[in-house]
Amino acid sequence: MLQTTNPNNYEYKTKELELHILGGLQLSKLESLRVTLSIEKLTKGKNVLNVLRQSIDLYNDNQVEKLVRKCAERLEIGTSIIRQTLQALTKALENHRFILNDTQNKQQQPLLKALSLKEEREAIKFLRTKDLLGKTNELIGKSGVIGEVDNRLLMYLIFTSRKTNNPLHCISLGSSGVGKTHLQSKVAELIPEEDKVEITVLSANAFYYFNRTELQHKLILIEDLDGAESVLYPLRELQSKKKITKTVVHKDRKGNTKTIHLTVEGPVSVAGCTTQESIYEDNSNRSFLLYIDESPEQDRRIMNYQKLISAGKLNEQEQLTAAALLRNVQRVLKPIKVINPYAEFLELPQSVFKPRRTNSHYLQFIEAITFYKQQQRQKQYDEVTGEEYIETTIEDIQEANELIIEVLLRKSDTITGACRNHLENLKNYLKENNQTTFTNTEIRRQLRVKQTTLQRYNKQLLEEGYIKKIKGKKGQTYHFEIININEYQELKSQINTALQNCLASIDLTA
């Protein structure tokens, strides 16, 4: 009897009455059933004798009784007929609202793709191939990620760690327009849709209104950290404590004030992009810092890729196939505990800042590699608990060391990433021109650096003792000189030696 063809004008007819529910139903508040009714009395000669319009909560008995008496008086019809009609209408609307809510909930749930037997076999076969990380990196390149050979594999493994109990996080850093967001979004395309949450703008309070387990083992992608400052605090707590809780005051239907706790559980993996490294120090301490390649060679690679797209010479099907395989690989990976029997022999270089947190990241990254190679590991079982686990191999540690050395190098640096890039460009310029000193005017022109930016870099380099001022001849401007032109290579060599020593100590005990 309830016609719902028009969602904004439901129709309900009996022998005596025709009712219209104007504006449809509210789905948010199930404790009430507030509607706007148009009630018409039907007669044989004329369709409509009189019309009564009224907004009412059909769950409020007092309001319903007042409407019954008003209809009886206005439409000249018995109260029992009106009461029975309203009761039947309430039941019909109630059932229809439950159906609408179920439909809405199903639509909001991410579509979980069920792999076919062929897709599952292909994904497992790929996970069992030799040199899995190298083959994975090749596929990432084929999917459309140009250059950034180490960063793209690092990011993919960090995103994969969302399935573990100790996920990793990353922040992409670089100048405006160098492709930070592009790299993050292209690698994120290799993660199944149901496993990620993309955020452009989100208020801090909104973060607490996710369902309790809605974010568990999800990848949270923030396009620009500068536009999501309000959510950085709850995100940090979710990264560290794997759970956030907020206490709010709520009034029940009787008007009584109660305190309720809103809890959202992790763990989650968080990735974001920014140009301002120093502003997000609290977040960067919890994350791998990935510095975007801003070299002229990378510029050429990207521009050539753009030309191929414009010329229609790009194999788009190859890209789609590679991306689909990597997404299926992610779906095949199952949660399993990882034990690193060599963990006690691993030691970070003394030059690394904040060694406690960095050491934790280092060990978690090794575990992420082992987790990714789970199809190549024999499953073992804890004798006491019976828990299933796999073990890290020396090969996993070697691969982790090769990938993470640049991250540790940046973590050991006393200057920001942008300033370090400037200093290395400066060294290359002096080497190419057989110079040992330089002036601000010369560097602004040759390296095309803004005056304010160059002043900021020079201030930091002078404070940290990387350059020194040299007085020019009378009437000339100040000159600058790099104190130790090989300091970065020496630092890298020191870190590499420390990592190799760890592997040597493992070989001796094995």
Side-chain angles (χ1 to χ4, degrees):
M1 296 175 69
L2 180 65
Q3 298 294 326
T4 59
T5 309
N6 185 346
N8 294 315
N9 186 6
Y10 295 166
E11 185 180 290
Y12 187 85
K13 275 187 178 182
T14 67
K15 292 180 181 179
E16 297 85 5
L17 296 170
E18 180 177 324
L19 295 87
H20 291 266
I21 296 85
L22 306 175
L25 289 173
Q26 287 185 356
L27 302 182
S28 56
K29 296 183 178 180
L30 295 180
E31 69 273 13
S32 64
L33 189 57
R34 180 164 289 280
V35 294
T36 298
L37 295 177
S38 170
I39 306 173
E40 307 167 359
K41 181 181 178 182
L42 300 177
T43 60
K44 291 183 179 179
K46 299 178 181 178
N47 277 343
V48 179
L49 179 65
N50 200 357
V51 179
L52 175 67
R53 294 179 179 84
Q54 178 73 49
S55 291
I56 183 175
D57 182 1
L58 291 174
Y59 284 173
N60 189 315
D61 194 58
N62 292 332
Q63 291 184 21
V64 172
E65 281 302 312
K66 286 181 181 178
L67 180 61
V68 167
R69 291 194 295 272
K70 186 185 287 187
C71 286
E73 180 182 339
R74 184 84 59 86
L75 303 178
E76 298 179 352
I77 195 169
T79 56
S80 59
I81 295 174
I82 299 169
R83 191 177 289 111
Q84 288 173 6
T85 302
L86 289 177
Q87 287 174 352
L89 174 65
T90 302
K91 185 67 176 176
L93 290 174
E94 190 176 59
N95 291 336
H96 183 63
R97 187 165 65 168
F98 285 137
I99 293 170
L100 289 177
N101 267 311
D102 288 342
T103 304
Q104 187 183 64
N105 290 336
K106 287 177 182 177
Q107 288 174 346
Q108 289 176 349
Q109 289 176 354
L111 293 174
L112 298 176
K113 180 184 175 182
L115 294 182
S116 66
L117 190 60
K118 181 183 177 183
E119 288 174 328
E120 187 175 350
R121 283 176 179 171
E122 284 179 351
I124 292 173
K125 182 182 178 182
F126 178 77
L127 284 170
R128 289 176 178 170
T129 56
K130 291 182 179 179
D131 188 22
L132 177 60
L133 295 190
K135 296 284 174 51
T136 299
N137 209 347
E138 286 178 19
L139 268 187
I140 296 172
K142 288 180 181 178
S143 71
V145 183
I146 307 304
E148 301 288 358
V149 176
D150 288 340
N151 279 343
R152 68 193 189 191
L153 182 57
L154 263 170
M155 190 176 284
Y156 182 76
L157 291 170
I158 289 168
F159 290 177
T160 301
S161 73
R162 76 192 183 284
K163 289 195 163 192
T164 68
N165 290 326
N166 296 300
L168 295 164
H169 320 280
C170 67
I171 296 177
S172 300
L173 295 150
S175 306
S176 179
V178 297
K180 302 178 297 298
T181 306
H182 178 73
L183 174 64
Q184 179 175 284
S185 61
K186 290 297 288 183
V187 177
E189 287 177 8
L190 311 178
I191 306 298
E193 286 295 325
E194 63 269 21
D195 285 356
K196 59 189 178 185
V197 178
E198 299 188 52
I199 295 173
T200 305
V201 178
L202 184 71
S203 69
N205 286 332
F207 220 92
Y208 293 92
Y209 288 89
F210 283 101
N211 292 333
R212 188 182 184 98
T213 58
E214 190 176 350
L215 295 180
Q216 272 188 349
H217 300 291
K218 290 285 196 299
L219 170 63
I220 298 177
L221 298 160
I222 304 173
E223 230 176 70
D224 190 347
L225 288 172
D226 300 337
E229 292 181 19
S230 59
V231 301
L232 293 184
Y233 175 71
L235 266 181
R236 286 198 296 268
E237 294 302 295
L238 202 54
Q239 286 173 296
S240 299
K241 299 179 181 178
K242 301 176 186 176
K243 182 174 74 172
I244 53 174
T245 302
K246 183 175 184 177
T247 304
V248 296
V249 176
H250 172 74
K251 284 190 177 182
D252 60 18
R253 291 178 65 184
K254 296 181 179 178
N256 299 322
T257 303
K258 291 185 177 181
T259 301
I260 61 172
H261 301 286
L262 303 174
T263 302
V264 178
E265 294 180 354
V268 297
S269 177
V270 181
C273 306
T274 183
T275 57
Q276 305 179 61
E277 178 180 351
S278 57
I279 292 179
Y280 304 103
E281 186 176 355
D282 284 343
N283 292 79
S284 63
N285 288 337
R286 294 167 170 81
S287 308
F288 278 61
L289 303 182
L290 307 182
Y291 291 86
I292 301 301
D293 184 358
E294 301 183 36
S295 66
E297 293 78 11
Q298 176 67 359
D299 290 342
R300 283 192 289 273
R301 283 192 288 264
I302 291 174
M303 288 188 288
N304 287 335
Y305 177 74
Q306 291 168 344
K307 291 172 185 175
L308 287 174
I309 294 175
S310 184
K313 294 183 178 180
L314 198 69
N315 190 342
E316 294 183 4
Q317 187 56 46
E318 184 184 49
Q319 288 190 351
L320 294 173
T321 303
L325 176 56
L326 288 172
R327 282 194 295 271
N328 291 340
V329 162
Q330 291 288 319
R331 292 185 176 104
V332 163
L333 293 171
K334 304 297 181 186
I336 190 168
K337 184 178 180 181
V338 175
I339 290 179
N340 183 356
Y342 308 106
E344 57 187 324
F345 301 104
L346 301 175
E347 190 171 340
L348 289 177
Q350 295 180 352
S351 57
V352 173
F353 292 131
K354 297 183 173 59
R356 297 180 186 181
R357 184 161 274 166
T358 306
N359 184 62
S360 175
H361 291 166
Y362 176 46
L363 295 174
Q364 287 171 24
F365 184 65
I366 295 171
E367 290 176 14
I369 290 177
T370 305
F371 175 81
Y372 186 59
K373 299 167 92 173
Q374 58 182 247
Q375 288 291 335
Q376 302 180 18
R377 299 287 181 267
Q378 184 178 357
K379 292 178 182 177
Q380 303 185 49
Y381 299 89
D382 190 291
E383 294 180 358
V384 178
T385 64
E387 185 180 13
E388 190 178 67
Y389 69 90
I390 54 177
E391 285 191 348
T392 295
T393 65
I394 297 176
E395 180 190 28
D396 297 342
I397 299 171
Q398 289 174 331
E399 290 179 323
N401 288 352
E402 290 171 8
L403 282 170
I404 209 173
I405 189 166
E406 186 66 27
V407 174
L408 294 179
L409 189 58
R410 296 287 189 167
K411 288 267 187 181
S412 306
D413 211 347
T414 56
I415 55 179
T416 63
C419 191
R420 168 56 65 185
N421 291 340
H422 167 72
L423 181 57
E424 293 307 303
N425 289 336
L426 184 58
K427 289 178 183 178
N428 291 334
Y429 170 75
L430 294 177
K431 186 177 180 181
E432 289 171 2
N433 292 275
N434 294 319
Q435 293 179 216
T436 56
T437 62
F438 60 93
T439 64
N440 280 342
T441 305
E442 177 187 9
I443 296 305
R444 281 204 312 273
R445 289 175 181 170
Q446 298 299 327
L447 299 186
R448 302 182 70 180
V449 183
K450 291 181 181 178
Q451 182 176 356
T452 53
T453 305
L454 185 58
Q455 287 174 347
R456 189 172 70 248
Y457 289 158
N458 283 347
K459 181 182 178 184
Q460 191 175 157
L461 293 171
L462 285 166
E463 288 174 351
E464 297 295 336
Y466 287 91
I467 63 174
K468 62 182 179 181
K469 273 185 178 181
I470 301 174
K471 285 186 178 180
K473 295 179 181 179
K474 192 172 183 180
Q476 292 184 349
T477 58
Y478 274 107
H479 284 62
F480 296 90
E481 183 180 19
I482 295 176
I483 294 174
N484 181 4
I485 202 163
N486 296 316
E487 48 83 23
Y488 201 50
Q489 285 69 27
E490 291 169 0
L491 180 61
K492 186 173 184 178
S493 176
Q494 179 188 344
I495 293 171
N496 191 46
T497 301
L499 295 177
Q500 291 302 322
N501 289 341
C502 291
L503 288 172
S505 63
I506 291 173
D507 288 334
L508 288 174
T509 56

